[in-house]
Amino acid sequence: MEPTLVIPTRPARPFIGEDFVLNTWDEVKPLYDNLVERPIHNVDELRQWFADRSELESFLSENFAWRYIRMTCDTSDPELINQFNFFITEIQPQLSAYENQLDKLAVESPYLAELRDKGFDITVRGMKKAIEIFRDENIPLQTDIQTEQRKYGAIVGAMTIEMPNAEGVVEEITLPQASTLLQSPDRAVREEVWRKIQERRYEDVDSLDELYDRLVDLRHRVAVNAGFANFRDYMFAAMGRFDYTPQDCFNFHASVAKAVVPLLDQLAQERKQKLAKADASFETLRPWDAKVDPDGLPALKPFETGDELLNKTITCFGRLDAAAGGTYLSDCLRIMKAMGHLDLESRKGKAPGGYNYPLEEIGVPFIFMNATSSLRDLVTMVHEGGHAVHSFLTRDLPLKPFRNPPMEVAELASMAMELLTMDYWDAFFENPEDLKRAKIQHLESIIETLPWVATVDKFQHWVYETAATPADSATDRPAAWLRIFEEFSDTVTSWQGLEKYEAYSWQKQLHLYEVPFYYIEYGIAQLGAIGVWMNFRQDPQKGLQGYMNALKLGYTAPISEIYRAAHVPFDFSEEHIGRLIQFVWSEIERLKS
């Protein structure tokens, strides 16, 4: 029998009022004026000031979140787009100036040094950096950037191709739906689908290139206004990267190139040999051969519907709970299900990608994804489920900044969950051989993920730093992408005759458009996740508890301390990365033996 769920309720709003509704900026302004003008006579009043500010910002964050969620669930509804645009154009520009003013009041308070509660030092550190880089002239530019960024989802969300279904009837399908056909054992089908996907993307190459040009130019202007030489340096400050530097990123790139990329060749060579053994006419490994099962088996299909995906994930989380005692992890998803905080299936008009969006007031997040019954969707679901658990574990922290850890920590929550749940994927696969295949495919994807992260991150450093101007970036971008892409790719797969698609394959990466420089976090967190998994394998209860203890910290400690709470090092060295990857590689070999 399932445990009785306690559905969370929104905390009281003693500052903004229980019935506060956002219709215009004029309703919000008096609340911000109150915070600006309020006299503070002692540390207790300062602590209350922080609490009231957090209450207001949590309301606005959740209000914005629902506008974003509803728009991405249906990008074709103009009213939902208008509601989202209203916040971006009418509310957001006003907030920036007030937030800077409030940050200054906080750091200049004579009582600040008396606030010794855990986490305030981290929050104040971020405030000081935000003050340092704030410029009034960047407020309209940030609005322009957000307006341009939204265009990417609309362009890509509208992309479809036509393919015959199982009955032979030609139907229009989304690109996420089409990508599942790349796992077809029929090589002719794979090639047809791959080429159609690439050609559909290529139809919008110029539009996406011009959009990126505008974004690069706007971002560069923001950086220069703030006194930085380039947008890369600005973003390291804006993202609060206090715990590592661009040089650490370069070290990561170099370590991955030495410790991981050679394994790509081994995997590709093995794939080529297996495919050639089954097909006498097979000579060259091509991009459309990357996702098919090399033994000629049909694609794994762990679920049929979004409901089945959710229910099986709940079962999987329950099995993980049982390994350490309790029901916490599975209860998180049950609560989200009861509250309707999920939209999982792919459909036309829905924005691409997947996310777990924290809802700051209620503390119960929303999971969005484009499931099409693939193994990748299973992994995405447990990944976003890890983010969701993180939201639950931090929901009772007293201030909004405490509940918003940096992405290096947020992605540790999600990527570790992929590995922690893996031994319980029999909830999805009754056949032991299918379960083994799923594990192998996922572990091999880790070998593939780290080089891809290095590729995307190194490309961004080039775009915003190496190119002398945004115009240079536009001119030299295809060649630079190809050079970096090939540095972190296997040498077995042939792109001959497909170079025009290869040169623009970066355009499929949403992060480059919507969240610049948010990508190295996946690589950092992947390393941490492997460490958490190694700990769990040695002692399930201790390993899971360390993981949850780290997540409970939210952002009340530096990244290195949070990783230490999970009993994993924060280390980009070739030696450390090599040790982790060898653990993954040994697991792959064990499963294959």
Side-chain angles (χ1 to χ4, degrees):
M1 186 175 71
E2 289 189 359
T4 302
L5 289 178
V6 177
I7 304 299
T9 56
R10 173 179 60 75
R13 293 174 179 165
F15 175 54
I16 69 174
E18 297 300 328
D19 301 319
F20 183 78
V21 176
L22 174 62
N23 291 311
T24 68
W25 168 249
D26 290 339
E27 294 157 329
V28 182
K29 186 177 186 298
L31 295 167
Y32 272 102
D33 288 338
N34 175 296
L35 292 170
V36 169
E37 298 164 6
R38 183 189 304 182
I40 296 173
H41 303 100
N42 54 57
V43 68
D44 290 332
E45 290 184 358
L46 179 61
R47 185 179 285 105
Q48 186 59 51
W49 180 91
F50 269 102
D52 291 345
R53 179 181 179 182
S54 176
E55 180 187 318
L56 174 57
E57 291 178 344
S58 294
F59 167 84
L60 292 170
S61 173
E62 184 161 324
N63 186 280
F64 175 81
W66 278 116
R67 293 169 190 265
Y68 178 81
I69 290 164
R70 289 168 181 144
M71 180 194 69
T72 54
C73 287
D74 186 2
T75 61
S76 65
D77 188 327
E79 181 55 32
L80 296 179
I81 295 173
N82 289 339
Q83 290 173 16
F84 181 81
N85 287 343
F86 162 78
F87 197 104
I88 294 295
T89 58
E90 302 298 322
I91 305 299
Q92 192 68 52
Q94 310 287 347
L95 297 182
S96 297
Y98 269 107
E99 286 168 358
N100 182 63
Q101 195 172 359
L102 294 177
D103 285 349
K104 286 182 176 179
L105 287 171
V107 301
E108 293 169 2
S109 171
Y111 308 105
L112 185 63
E114 298 179 49
L115 272 180
R116 298 187 180 92
D117 315 37
K118 186 174 179 59
F120 273 104
D121 57 336
I122 300 298
T123 295
V124 171
R125 179 180 72 170
M127 285 180 171
K128 289 179 178 177
K129 183 58 68 174
I131 292 168
E132 181 184 321
I133 68 173
F134 178 82
R135 300 291 187 277
D136 283 315
E137 58 267 35
N138 279 341
I139 294 175
L141 291 178
Q142 296 287 10
T143 301
D144 291 344
I145 287 171
Q146 289 185 309
T147 300
E148 292 297 319
Q149 286 174 172
R150 293 198 306 279
K151 295 177 181 178
Y152 180 79
I155 292 171
V156 177
M159 292 181 180
T160 61
I161 67 168
E162 291 187 345
M163 286 294 294
N165 61 21
E167 288 73 40
V169 178
V170 174
E171 59 182 7
E172 185 180 33
I173 57 176
T174 65
L175 297 197
Q177 290 170 331
S179 66
T180 63
L181 298 175
L182 295 174
Q183 301 175 63
S184 170
D186 188 329
R187 197 181 193 206
V189 170
R190 296 200 305 274
E191 180 176 357
E192 179 186 5
V193 172
W194 190 91
R195 288 182 180 276
K196 283 187 174 182
I197 290 174
Q198 301 309 314
E199 195 55 41
R200 178 60 189 88
R201 288 188 180 280
Y202 201 76
E203 287 178 21
D204 284 315
V205 155
D206 290 342
S207 296
L208 289 173
D209 222 28
E210 291 164 6
L211 173 59
Y212 199 59
D213 288 344
R214 293 194 297 274
L215 287 168
V216 168
D217 180 63
L218 287 167
R219 291 164 179 166
H220 183 73
R221 288 162 60 190
V222 165
V224 171
N225 286 345
F228 292 86
N230 57 66
F231 183 69
R232 192 277 312 281
D233 291 346
Y234 169 84
M235 281 303 290
F236 265 68
M239 297 173 83
R241 287 184 173 170
F242 298 100
D243 299 271
Y244 62 99
T245 66
Q247 185 57 52
D248 290 315
C249 294
F250 302 150
N251 294 342
F252 174 89
H253 305 157
S255 296
V256 167
K258 292 177 181 177
V260 187
V261 172
L263 298 179
L264 292 180
D265 272 353
Q266 291 191 46
L267 291 175
Q269 193 61 44
E270 179 184 332
R271 171 174 292 274
K272 179 181 177 180
Q273 290 170 356
K274 285 187 173 183
L275 290 172
K277 186 176 180 180
D279 180 359
S281 65
F282 188 98
E283 294 182 354
T284 306
L285 195 68
R286 302 286 267 169
W288 48 83
D289 299 318
K291 300 302 179 184
V292 64
D293 185 273
D295 294 310
L297 298 171
L300 291 166
K301 198 168 187 179
F303 63 93
E304 293 286 348
T305 66
D307 286 341
E308 186 183 351
L309 170 62
L310 174 58
N311 292 332
K312 286 184 173 181
T313 304
I314 291 172
T315 299
C316 189
F317 276 36
R319 299 271 304 282
L320 179 57
D321 275 324
T327 61
Y328 188 88
L329 304 176
S330 51
D331 282 351
C332 291
L333 293 183
R334 289 191 186 96
I335 289 168
M336 294 174 69
K337 179 182 179 182
M339 296 179 68
H341 282 207
L342 306 111
D343 186 333
L344 305 181
E345 294 179 346
S346 179
R347 60 180 177 272
K348 186 179 179 181
K350 192 174 179 181
Y355 58 75
N356 172 85
Y357 209 123
L359 296 168
E360 289 289 349
E361 278 202 301
I362 191 66
V364 177
F366 189 100
I367 290 180
F368 168 101
M369 58 181 288
N370 282 273
T372 59
S373 306
S374 70
L375 174 63
R376 183 65 244 172
D377 295 327
L378 183 169
V379 174
T380 298
M381 183 65 211
V382 296
H383 177 103
E384 303 303 344
H387 281 309
V389 166
H390 201 180
S391 293
F392 276 91
L393 285 168
T394 58
R395 70 182 301 272
D396 291 328
L397 290 173
L399 297 185
K400 180 178 178 290
F402 296 179
R403 300 190 295 266
N404 286 262
M407 290 302 117
E408 297 83 0
V409 176
E411 296 303 340
L412 175 68
S414 56
M415 301 183 95
M417 187 62 80
E418 297 173 12
L419 292 168
L420 290 171
T421 58
M422 196 167 60
D423 283 341
Y424 310 108
W425 286 0
D426 53 341
F428 292 90
F429 302 104
E430 295 181 1
N431 184 320
E433 290 303 311
D434 286 347
L435 176 60
K436 184 185 293 188
R437 284 175 61 206
K439 290 180 178 181
I440 291 170
Q441 287 183 28
H442 181 56
L443 293 175
E444 289 183 346
S445 77
I446 291 175
I447 305 295
E448 296 162 357
T449 293
L450 288 168
W452 179 250
V453 169
T455 304
V456 173
D457 189 62
K458 188 167 184 175
F459 178 63
Q460 294 198 83
H461 282 274
W462 178 86
V463 167
Y464 295 107
E465 180 201 23
T466 308
T469 68
D472 289 339
S473 167
T475 303
D476 301 336
R477 203 155 52 218
W481 170 257
L482 284 173
R483 184 174 63 252
I484 296 168
F485 178 74
E486 290 169 3
E487 179 183 354
F488 294 100
S489 299
D490 71 81
T491 59
V492 181
T493 304
S494 171
W495 283 78
Q496 185 176 358
L498 308 171
E499 290 83 1
K500 73 173 186 178
Y501 303 132
E502 184 184 14
Y504 288 93
S505 55
W506 60 271
Q507 290 185 345
K508 69 181 180 181
Q509 195 64 55
L510 169 149
H511 300 71
L512 295 171
Y513 288 87
E514 296 189 357
V515 278
F517 281 98
Y518 170 29
Y519 212 67
I520 188 70
E521 293 89 343
Y522 289 109
I524 295 170
Q526 185 69 78
L527 302 177
I530 298 169
V532 168
W533 183 42
M534 290 170 66
N535 293 338
F536 182 77
R537 279 291 183 85
Q538 293 170 5
D539 185 333
Q541 192 159 3
K542 183 180 178 182
L544 185 59
Q545 192 59 56
Y547 165 76
M548 295 180 73
N549 287 344
L551 303 192
K552 286 177 184 176
L553 289 171
Y555 201 18
T556 61
I559 296 174
S560 57
E561 184 178 322
I562 296 171
Y563 272 55
R564 198 157 48 242
H567 312 299
V568 295
F570 191 67
D571 183 356
F572 305 152
S573 68
E574 181 185 348
E575 179 185 5
H576 177 61
I577 293 178
R579 184 166 55 249
L580 294 174
I581 291 302
Q582 282 308 309
F583 177 77
V584 173
W585 192 256
S586 67
E587 286 290 313
I588 293 172
E589 291 185 322
R590 183 184 63 81
L591 288 164
K592 289 180 176 179
S593 63

